Amino acid sequence: MNIENLVGKFRKVITENPYVFNSIVEPMRNEVDSEFESNKKMLAELKSKFEEYQKECEEDDEYNFSIDHYNDLKLDLMTTEYELEYLSQRNFVLREMQILYAYKNVEITLKRLISMAYPDTSLRELHNWKALKEASKNKGANLTQASFYQQIDHLRCVCNALKHSSKITQEVKSANIKEFNGKELFCDLSLGTFFDRVEPLISDFYISFCASLIVPLGGCKQSWLESFEPYVNPDPEIPF
């Protein structure tokens, strides 16, 4: 195999593998976030008006209490609270979609990279995460030694949990992922914080893994990594 051609193919996969799904989801998330903040501000104002009206009625026996005005304020409060819950659920779904897509895209990309390096590999052999680890190890490229492997494995755990429900599974709890520690259910905020932390590491994970695929085939790990130095993140756990 021509190692230079392989390096070129790897580079193309990595540089042309931007997270395009984000470009679709982010505008929707921004819209939901904007609506959420607007309604949150409105709720605070309504609560203040409602509490002020209640206080005036309690302190002044002769205050001209209006049941209609009271009910209108109460209804506005309830409506705004429902709207916030609805927006929160929409944001949850968008975050869920981002995480599910991100992990499935990781699986697909890893299959592609391994099959490029070893064309004789059957895609049927690479049917899940365990199989990907075994196949790479057999080729002399240990997937678990790639930079940011732990974070990507956490992405897998969260993805698997979300496929079934919003309940945080024992697998996720055992992984000790900081965004979900002490929680029983996923929420839009915890999923968002987790995704925003892990997603930027995916490209660097690919770069590191490609390095381990290149070496057994006679390629130079150092020159490969140096070619990406301008934007490769340092991994405090597994240095290059």
Side-chain angles (χ1 to χ4, degrees):
M1 175 179 290
N2 187 311
I3 194 66
E4 291 302 320
N5 287 343
L6 178 62
V7 167
K9 289 179 181 180
F10 279 175
R11 180 176 293 279
K12 184 177 180 181
V13 169
I14 293 170
T15 57
E16 293 185 357
N17 191 34
Y19 201 51
V20 292
F21 192 67
N22 276 342
S23 65
I24 300 171
V25 174
E26 284 303 316
M28 292 188 283
R29 282 200 57 251
N30 291 337
E31 180 183 345
V32 172
D33 286 343
S34 178
E35 289 183 44
F36 187 89
E37 289 302 317
S38 177
N39 278 273
K40 189 177 177 181
K41 182 179 179 181
M42 186 187 303
L43 182 63
E45 293 173 354
L46 287 170
K47 281 184 176 179
S48 179
K49 288 181 181 180
F50 184 74
E51 290 170 0
E52 184 179 342
Y53 188 70
Q54 279 187 313
K55 185 177 180 181
E56 288 174 346
C57 291
E58 292 170 357
E59 292 179 350
D60 189 349
D61 293 337
E62 297 181 3
Y63 189 81
N64 187 22
F65 176 77
S66 169
I67 188 64
D68 289 336
H69 183 55
Y70 177 89
N71 286 337
D72 286 344
L73 287 173
K74 190 72 173 176
L75 180 61
D76 287 344
L77 268 175
M78 293 173 62
T79 301
T80 307
E81 287 173 343
Y82 292 150
E83 183 66 15
L84 282 171
E85 178 60 26
Y86 162 71
L87 291 169
S88 180
Q89 290 177 5
R90 279 186 63 188
N91 212 10
F92 179 93
V93 171
L94 292 172
R95 286 303 197 179
E96 181 181 42
M97 289 168 60
Q98 284 183 306
I99 289 171
L100 293 175
Y101 181 89
Y103 175 68
K104 293 307 295 182
N105 195 49
V106 166
E107 276 196 340
I108 291 168
T109 302
L110 290 177
K111 290 177 183 179
R112 189 178 178 192
L113 294 172
I114 293 172
S115 63
M116 282 179 173
Y118 298 95
D120 59 333
T121 303
S122 169
L123 290 179
R124 291 182 180 180
E125 296 177 24
L126 311 175
H127 58 281
N128 60 24
W129 190 244
K130 182 178 179 181
L132 284 167
K133 290 196 295 183
E134 286 296 321
S136 63
K137 187 176 181 180
N138 291 338
K139 304 298 183 181
N142 196 333
L143 184 64
T144 64
Q145 294 302 310
S147 296
F148 303 110
Y149 168 81
Q150 184 182 66
Q151 290 87 341
I152 305 305
D153 192 47
H154 288 172
L155 181 66
R156 176 191 63 81
C157 294
V158 175
C159 175
N160 286 343
L162 287 171
K163 288 178 183 177
H164 304 288
S165 72
S166 60
K167 184 178 179 180
I168 295 176
T169 59
Q170 187 57 49
E171 182 182 32
V172 173
K173 291 179 180 179
S174 298
N176 195 31
I177 303 171
K178 62 183 181 181
E179 288 83 1
F180 311 118
N181 284 340
K183 296 180 174 65
E184 294 298 324
L185 296 173
F186 293 114
C187 69
D188 58 322
L189 295 177
S190 61
L191 288 176
T193 304
F194 170 74
F195 178 80
D196 291 342
R197 175 174 64 86
V198 173
E199 188 273 332
L201 308 177
I202 294 175
S203 290
D204 294 343
F205 169 71
Y206 293 149
I207 293 168
S208 179
F209 179 59
C210 283
S212 67
L213 285 172
I214 289 170
V215 172
L217 296 172
C220 178
K221 177 179 180 179
Q222 192 62 29
S223 62
W224 165 258
L225 295 177
E226 286 176 354
S227 69
F228 285 97
E229 274 186 350
Y231 70 86
V232 172
N233 290 316
D235 186 340
E237 298 173 4
I238 309 174
F240 285 144

